[in-house]
Amino acid sequence: MSKKVFLVVLFGYTTLFIYLISFLLRTPFIGIEIVQVQQEWKIQDFAHPEWAENHNIERGDIILEINHQPIKIADDATQYVIKGASSILTQSTQGDSKLIKISYRDFPIQSFYWVLLPIVYFIMSLIICIYLKLYRKESFQSINIFVLFILTVALTYGAIGPSGYLGNISVFIMSNGAIASIILLLHFLINYLQLLDVNHRLIIKPTYLYGILIISCLLTLSEKIIPTIYEWNTIFILLGIAFLIFYAFLMLLIVYLKYRKQQLLVLLFCLVGPFLPMLLLYLLPMLLFQQHVLAMAYCTLFLLLIPILLMLTQLPDYLFDVDYEISKIRYYSMLSLVASSVVVIGLYFILDIKRLDAFKSFLFLFIVIFGLFYVKERIDYASRKVLFSPKGDYVHFVYKTIEQITHMPSVDKLLKHFSEALAQQLSVSHVEVHTYSTANRVANPKIIENLALGTVKRVDGRYIGCLHETLDKKYIVTIANEGGLYLKKEELLCLELLIMYVSNFIDNTQFVEGLIEQLDTSQQGNPAWLKKYIWLQLENEKSQLAQELHDTILQQQLYLIRELDVAQIDKQLIKRQREYLIQLNVDLRHYCEQLKPPLLEKQGLRVALNKLFAEIERQANFTIIHAIENVVLDSPELPLLIYRTIQEMLNNALKHSRATYVKITLTASTQGFELVYFDNGVGCDLSEIDGKNSMGLQGMKERVYAYNGSFELTSALDEGMHIVIKVKE
């Protein structure tokens, strides 16, 4: 949506809203039902009986004039409703005439809910939309849909009052605005779920939802031509709104139970939650019993919270704050409640104070203790850098980032990943790391020279921190955002902690890079220690192979020799032993093929893997689902790496998984390949696997790491095992 289109949208919504409000500004809705009896219009009922009682108007009184004019109505009409008027002239049953002037002073609740609140809310919605479009265009996801949603909710709420006058435009907006609002909300939620990489078959294309809106609009327009479809259209609109609300709630609930993402829970309560009063107190009772528990106008009040809550949950700067503050308030409230209750109960029984005084003391103590917790938090942060953290979201970010950068092979890649992760967490547009040396003079040299390791300072609307420091240079991280930036204490503490970890990783990575450089530039080839290590590994492999051959094939052959010595006469026994020798020879050949697969060199990787899959399936109780692409690799060693890795995966599945199926995919990637393994077996506890130093998994890891690849293992008890391996040449 360009700026011109955005201005047109704002102008269109504003024009419609002003048109709707103009109905109400002229006169309030009085809703007097009158019936024609012998050329006279008598009052039959009141929409506001308390107003009629205040002005001494009773049922049966005659309406003589409306706005100083006689009543004008079609000749065939026998019943009429006075919707709005500035004055009416009535005649009582005793013949007394009375001129009654009508203003909003007689309807204070109506003036607040139908005029003042819609105007304030619409103005607030315009301010939010303009702010998002000007300052949050880049960071706010699906901003155009969100702007339309805010304006549609505000316009629909503004049409509630004018719809009582049964104006064509107000009725159309009121009838279809609620459906349009929910569809726009669902459209936004679907886009948000795609941003979180959440996939589920319940998530449908938004275009399908707009079909419900089109049908509703066509039915509403057809009411003027075919009035008999009014009731059917009303039922369709109620069913459509109920279905969309239920679908939004069910979709978010199911994807949250599957992915357990905190954002989904916030969206569920903050966005779909305000629709539940409308569903439970108005829509379902109307559909089932033709009578509502709470009027639509009051149920709609809950919807006014949605744009504000949605903006808070969508803005990355505040997504964590909402959950963090709620958790902190809940935690502090429970502690304050317990402490103040214990003190007040003691005072009540010991000093015998009055109940009212005890209640006042309870409120006073609760507020004081609650405030002291916040004061203590400030003192703890200033003196000990301790912050309240009930769920550890920032700690989780630090842990996840550290876990990822430990696998970075170079300082450049480490700093690049650090910058990307920090920009995503803080939702800023610029995170850069620069190297400053004594010879490299920059702006504000004193600030940089005095900046200690791990320290972060705010300078000219941006933040700079010392990421690493040596004798002759410093790594300086700069964090900035369009329109300025202000980091909260939680973010600063997280940033300082992460900087300290990254500094240590830079030292270690530089040390490893130095060792690799020494190996590459060595004039004598590989150093002695590396040769010794290779030979020791080779001897260990030989020893293990010899031990396995001795314990299996050799022992079985010795047994056959002894059997043949004592069975020279029995030809049947010799025949059986011969068959056993043939099988033993087959097993030995199979064992040798596992040590060195001949098909891999002669016919290629796919043929060798297909044979391996067939052999494993004959031994296993699970089904192998595989998709092997033709991966073109320059290095002749990588096909053997792929073969050995898949072989080890399947051997582990045979021994430990107890799975019913195993899925293996091999796909080509940029200058390399990606190998993905998944089974639905019993899984394992990763902490126990690391502690036991499993030879199978450890061997796969070391083999992949030797080729500068990445190895990601995900597993838990009774949740199967998932391995992702990526290698670039």
Side-chain angles (χ1 to χ4, degrees):
M1 188 186 298
S2 62
K3 289 186 177 179
K4 292 183 179 180
V5 176
F6 176 71
L7 292 176
V8 171
V9 170
L10 290 184
F11 177 77
Y13 272 90
T14 305
T15 303
L16 284 175
F17 183 80
I18 294 174
Y19 171 77
L20 295 175
I21 293 298
S22 64
F23 279 98
L24 300 175
L25 293 178
R26 291 196 296 265
T27 175
F29 179 79
I30 53 177
I32 302 176
E33 295 183 13
I34 57 177
V35 62
Q36 190 175 20
V37 179
Q38 297 179 356
Q39 304 300 320
E40 293 181 339
W41 291 97
K42 293 187 177 182
I43 298 176
Q44 188 178 25
D45 202 357
F46 302 98
H48 301 281
E50 66 282 356
W51 169 82
E53 184 178 355
N54 293 335
H55 290 277
N56 297 322
I57 305 176
E58 299 178 352
R59 293 177 178 84
D61 290 354
I62 301 173
I63 301 295
L64 301 177
E65 294 180 356
I66 300 176
N67 296 333
H68 305 289
Q69 298 291 334
I71 299 178
K72 294 180 180 180
I73 195 169
D75 296 335
D76 57 349
T78 58
Q79 194 169 4
Y80 181 53
V81 178
I82 304 174
K83 301 169 185 176
S86 58
S87 66
I88 59 174
L89 180 62
T90 66
Q91 183 179 355
S92 65
T93 55
Q94 289 79 21
D96 299 330
S97 300
K98 182 187 301 183
L99 179 65
I100 301 174
K101 294 185 177 180
I102 303 171
S103 67
Y104 274 106
R105 285 179 293 183
D106 298 322
F107 303 92
I109 297 179
Q110 191 177 132
S111 64
F112 177 77
Y113 285 109
W114 287 13
V115 180
L116 182 60
L117 188 58
I119 291 175
V120 173
Y121 183 74
F122 190 83
I123 294 174
M124 182 185 67
S125 300
L126 288 178
I127 294 173
I128 292 176
C129 294
I130 295 172
Y131 167 76
L132 293 177
K133 193 66 178 179
L134 294 180
Y135 300 103
R136 286 291 177 181
K137 182 179 179 180
E138 301 298 331
S139 62
F140 200 95
Q141 299 296 329
S142 302
I143 184 172
N144 297 330
I145 300 174
F146 183 59
V147 166
L148 293 175
F149 169 74
I150 290 180
L151 294 176
T152 303
V153 172
L155 184 64
T156 304
Y157 184 67
I160 294 178
S163 64
Y165 293 91
L166 297 180
N168 293 334
I169 296 179
S170 60
V171 171
F172 182 85
I173 294 174
M174 181 61 189
S175 301
N176 302 283
I179 291 182
S181 301
I182 304 173
I183 291 176
L184 288 170
L185 174 62
L186 282 168
H187 193 169
F188 174 83
L189 289 176
I190 292 172
N191 290 355
Y192 194 88
L193 294 179
Q194 293 175 352
L195 176 68
L196 297 177
D197 293 330
V198 172
N199 296 311
H200 197 276
R201 58 187 178 183
L202 271 178
I203 303 175
I204 63 176
K205 292 183 179 180
T207 51
Y208 297 153
L209 299 174
Y210 288 100
I212 301 176
L213 178 61
I214 294 174
I215 296 174
S216 175
C217 293
L218 292 177
L219 289 176
T220 305
L221 294 174
S222 302
E223 289 179 3
K224 299 299 179 183
I225 304 174
I226 311 174
T228 55
I229 68 172
Y230 171 78
E231 294 183 0
W232 293 100
N233 186 28
T234 302
I235 295 175
F236 176 81
I237 292 174
L238 295 177
L239 284 174
I241 296 174
F243 166 75
L244 292 172
I245 295 173
F246 180 75
Y247 169 70
F249 182 82
L250 183 65
M251 178 183 66
L252 280 180
L253 180 62
I254 290 179
V255 296
Y256 169 72
L257 294 176
K258 179 179 179 181
Y259 291 92
R260 297 290 180 178
K261 290 180 179 287
Q262 190 68 23
Q263 299 97 319
L264 300 178
L265 187 62
V266 175
L267 291 174
L268 180 64
F269 285 102
C270 295
L271 306 187
V272 183
F275 280 101
L276 294 181
M278 180 187 297
L279 177 65
L280 301 176
L281 302 179
Y282 183 81
L283 295 174
L284 292 181
M286 286 294 295
L287 291 171
L288 298 176
F289 310 109
Q290 290 76 45
Q291 186 176 3
H292 57 76
V293 178
L294 190 64
M296 185 69 169
Y298 297 107
C299 293
T300 311
L301 291 176
F302 293 94
L303 305 184
L304 304 184
L305 298 174
I306 289 181
I308 301 173
L309 295 175
L310 187 57
M311 185 181 68
L312 294 178
T313 55
Q314 173 65 1
L315 288 177
D317 289 352
Y318 300 104
L319 177 59
F320 174 73
D321 287 345
V322 173
D323 186 56
Y324 174 77
E325 293 297 335
I326 290 175
S327 301
K328 185 165 61 175
I329 291 173
R330 182 174 61 248
Y331 179 71
Y332 288 168
S333 297
M334 289 301 299
L335 293 178
S336 303
L337 179 65
V338 172
S340 55
S341 299
V342 171
V343 174
V344 170
I345 292 174
L347 293 175
Y348 179 77
F349 287 103
I350 295 174
L351 301 181
D352 194 21
I353 61 176
K354 297 180 180 180
R355 293 182 180 180
L356 181 60
D357 294 335
F359 180 73
K360 292 179 180 179
S361 302
F362 169 78
L363 292 179
F364 175 75
L365 287 174
F366 181 86
I367 295 172
V368 170
I369 296 173
F370 188 86
L372 288 177
F373 277 120
Y374 273 91
V375 174
K376 180 180 180 298
E377 179 187 344
R378 302 281 181 176
I379 297 174
D380 285 341
Y381 177 77
S383 58
R384 300 185 296 159
K385 298 297 181 183
V386 175
L387 274 176
F388 170 80
S389 182
K391 297 186 178 180
D393 293 279
Y394 281 113
V395 176
H396 175 71
F397 163 67
V398 174
Y399 172 80
K400 183 178 178 181
T401 305
I402 292 173
E403 185 182 28
Q404 292 174 349
I405 65 177
T406 52
H407 303 301
M408 296 295 108
S410 64
V411 174
D412 292 337
K413 291 184 178 180
L414 186 152
L415 295 177
K416 180 181 179 182
H417 184 82
F418 166 77
S419 302
E420 293 174 352
L422 197 61
Q424 182 178 4
Q425 176 70 16
L426 301 179
S427 185
V428 295
S429 56
H430 302 289
V431 176
E432 298 177 352
V433 178
H434 302 280
T435 304
Y436 295 100
S437 62
T438 54
N440 184 15
R441 293 297 177 182
V442 296
N444 300 323
K446 290 185 178 180
I447 296 178
I448 295 178
E449 291 175 3
N450 297 330
L451 197 63
L453 177 63
T455 304
V456 180
K457 291 186 177 181
R458 190 169 189 265
V459 180
D460 298 331
R462 59 179 182 172
Y463 287 85
I464 59 173
C466 183
L467 190 62
H468 187 64
E469 184 176 9
T470 61
L471 294 176
D472 58 344
K473 61 182 178 180
K474 285 185 176 181
Y475 290 89
I476 301 297
V477 58
T478 304
I479 307 171
N481 196 34
E482 297 179 359
L485 176 66
Y486 185 81
L487 297 180
K488 300 173 287 296
K489 292 185 300 182
E490 301 86 30
E491 295 168 333
L492 286 173
L493 188 60
C494 163
L495 179 59
E496 292 173 358
L497 178 62
L498 189 58
I499 284 176
M500 298 301 295
Y501 278 107
V502 171
S503 178
N504 291 330
F505 283 123
I506 291 176
D507 283 333
N508 296 335
T509 307
Q510 287 178 338
F511 178 73
V512 174
E513 286 180 338
L515 290 178
I516 295 175
E517 185 178 356
Q518 291 179 14
L519 291 175
D520 293 338
T521 58
S522 176
Q523 299 296 327
Q524 300 177 355
N526 293 329
W529 65 267
L530 184 56
K531 291 181 179 180
K532 180 179 179 181
Y533 178 78
I534 294 174
W535 281 111
L536 287 174
Q537 290 295 105
L538 183 58
E539 291 299 325
N540 289 334
E541 291 294 329
K542 289 181 179 179
S543 175
Q544 183 179 356
L545 179 59
Q547 185 66 37
E548 291 181 2
L549 290 174
H550 177 272
D551 294 340
T552 56
I553 306 299
L554 183 58
Q555 293 298 325
Q556 293 172 2
Q557 288 180 344
L558 290 175
Y559 169 76
L560 290 177
I561 292 173
R562 289 195 297 269
E563 289 291 316
L564 290 174
D565 289 339
V566 298
Q568 296 179 0
I569 300 176
D570 191 349
K571 295 182 179 180
Q572 293 296 328
L573 180 60
I574 294 175
K575 183 179 179 180
R576 289 196 302 270
Q577 301 305 335
R578 182 179 179 277
E579 292 174 353
Y580 188 59
L581 276 174
I582 293 174
Q583 182 62 39
L584 187 61
N585 184 265
V586 172
D587 294 340
L588 182 59
R589 184 183 301 274
H590 175 70
Y591 193 83
C592 293
E593 287 179 356
Q594 284 189 329
L595 293 175
K596 184 179 180 181
L599 291 179
L600 187 62
E601 296 180 357
K602 296 178 182 179
Q603 300 186 35
L605 179 61
R606 293 189 67 179
V607 177
L609 288 177
N610 288 333
K611 183 179 180 183
L612 176 63
F613 293 145
E615 292 175 354
I616 295 296
E617 280 192 317
R618 285 196 295 269
Q619 308 173 44
N621 294 324
F622 54 77
T623 303
I624 301 177
I625 305 171
H626 56 86
I628 308 299
E629 290 186 1
N630 284 323
V631 181
V632 180
L633 301 169
D634 296 331
S635 174
E637 301 170 358
L638 290 181
L640 182 59
L641 168 66
I642 297 172
Y643 184 91
R644 291 301 188 200
T645 304
I646 294 178
Q647 188 180 47
E648 189 61 40
M649 290 174 175
L650 294 175
N651 287 335
N652 281 341
L654 276 173
K655 297 176 184 178
H656 309 295
S657 70
R658 284 185 271 174
T660 59
Y661 74 90
V662 170
K663 184 177 180 181
I664 296 177
T665 59
L666 174 66
T667 56
S669 62
T670 305
Q671 300 177 350
F673 67 88
E674 179 177 353
L675 178 61
V676 180
Y677 168 91
F678 176 79
D679 69 52
N680 66 339
V682 296
C684 62
D685 189 343
L686 295 182
S687 61
E688 293 182 2
I689 289 295
D690 294 337
K692 294 178 181 178
N693 195 16
S694 172
M695 290 299 297
L697 294 175
Q698 192 66 26
M700 279 190 284
K701 285 183 180 180
E702 292 178 356
R703 196 186 298 270
V704 171
Y705 291 160
Y707 288 85
N708 293 327
S710 63
F711 185 97
E712 296 180 7
L713 171 62
T714 305
S715 183
L717 292 177
D718 298 326
E719 292 186 10
M721 182 172 291
H722 186 209
I723 301 174
V724 179
I725 296 173
K726 297 179 182 179
V727 175
K728 291 185 178 181
E729 292 189 275

